[in-house]
Amino acid sequence: MIGRNAPRTGGSWARTSVIIAAAVTAALAGCAKTPPVLDPPPTAVPAPSSAEPSPSGSASATPSESSSPSTTPSSSPSSTPSDKPAVKATGSLALYSEASKKLAGTCATKSGVPTLTVADRANDFFGTIDATMVLSARRTTVSKLTIALGEDSESIVRTISYNAAQPTKGTSLELTGKGATFTAKGKLSNTENGRPAGTIPVTLTITCASTNW
């Protein structure tokens, strides 16, 4: 029988060797320095770009005005028939009695208005006589008639007139025509030295050299 102090067998040594080896390994492992675990490096933040982002797309250019200005048709004034040349005229005037047989002047269309103008600048009684008769467009009526009588022997200056648009009370005038001759007869308003003096009977006859005026 083997005593307790007898030398260990090979199996026991082997087990002992394993235990010793494990202990050595553990000791060595404990002595080894474990490298410190570093925190992950901070994520690099990209630096902001100095250049501002260009706006998407170019700004729409302001439309420039057309180089050639639009031409607005100029309104041409309504054309009126050109007045024909005036023709010569002669005439006579009677008031209460014959006043002149030596009236002379023209028959003309002025701005489309038939106008007869005659005068006697060497009258025996009134000194001067100036008469202007304006007819309607068709020459069938008198629109206006004005007769200026110069100073007579009593130093009276008279103006005899008629206005169809605003006839004075008591006045009237009729026009008769035959060819190139026009006769206005009626009662016209009379002023003496600028003061109203009632009415006066008038017969004025004017003959134009032709009807083409």
Side-chain angles (χ1 to χ4, degrees):
M1 174 176 183
I2 303 173
R4 291 184 179 179
N5 295 325
R8 298 179 180 178
T9 60
S12 297
W13 174 251
R15 285 194 296 269
T16 302
S17 299
V18 171
I19 292 171
I20 295 171
V24 173
T25 301
L28 291 176
C31 294
K33 292 183 180 181
T34 303
V37 179
L38 299 177
D39 293 333
T43 305
V45 179
S49 175
S50 59
E52 296 182 0
S54 60
S56 60
S58 58
S60 59
T62 302
S64 59
E65 297 181 356
S66 174
S67 57
S68 57
S70 59
T71 57
T72 303
S74 58
S75 57
S76 58
S78 56
S79 58
T80 56
S82 59
D83 295 339
K84 297 179 181 179
V87 298
K88 291 183 178 182
T90 57
S92 62
L93 174 65
L95 303 175
Y96 293 104
S97 60
E98 183 179 281
S100 175
K101 286 186 177 181
K102 300 178 181 179
L103 297 176
T106 60
C107 298
T109 300
K110 300 178 180 180
S111 301
V113 180
T115 305
L116 292 72
T117 304
V118 291
D120 180 359
R121 299 299 174 83
N123 187 260
D124 296 334
F125 185 74
F126 295 106
T128 60
I129 298 175
D130 289 274
T132 300
M133 184 161 60
V134 179
L135 306 180
S136 61
R138 293 187 176 183
R139 306 179 185 178
T140 56
T141 59
V142 177
S143 299
K144 290 182 180 181
L145 175 58
T146 302
I147 302 172
L149 303 176
E151 188 175 284
D152 61 10
S153 59
E154 298 177 352
S155 300
I156 298 175
V157 176
R158 294 175 174 84
T159 300
I160 305 171
S161 61
Y162 174 80
N163 187 344
Q166 297 176 337
T168 303
K169 184 178 180 180
T171 62
S172 62
L173 191 64
E174 292 183 359
L175 179 69
T176 58
K178 184 178 181 181
T181 299
F182 301 90
T183 300
K185 186 176 181 178
K187 288 184 178 181
L188 276 64
S189 176
N190 178 34
T191 60
E192 296 180 354
N193 293 334
R195 295 187 297 269
T199 60
I200 188 170
V202 172
T203 300
L204 174 65
T205 300
I206 298 177
T207 301
C208 304
S210 71
T211 59
N212 188 21
W213 48 275

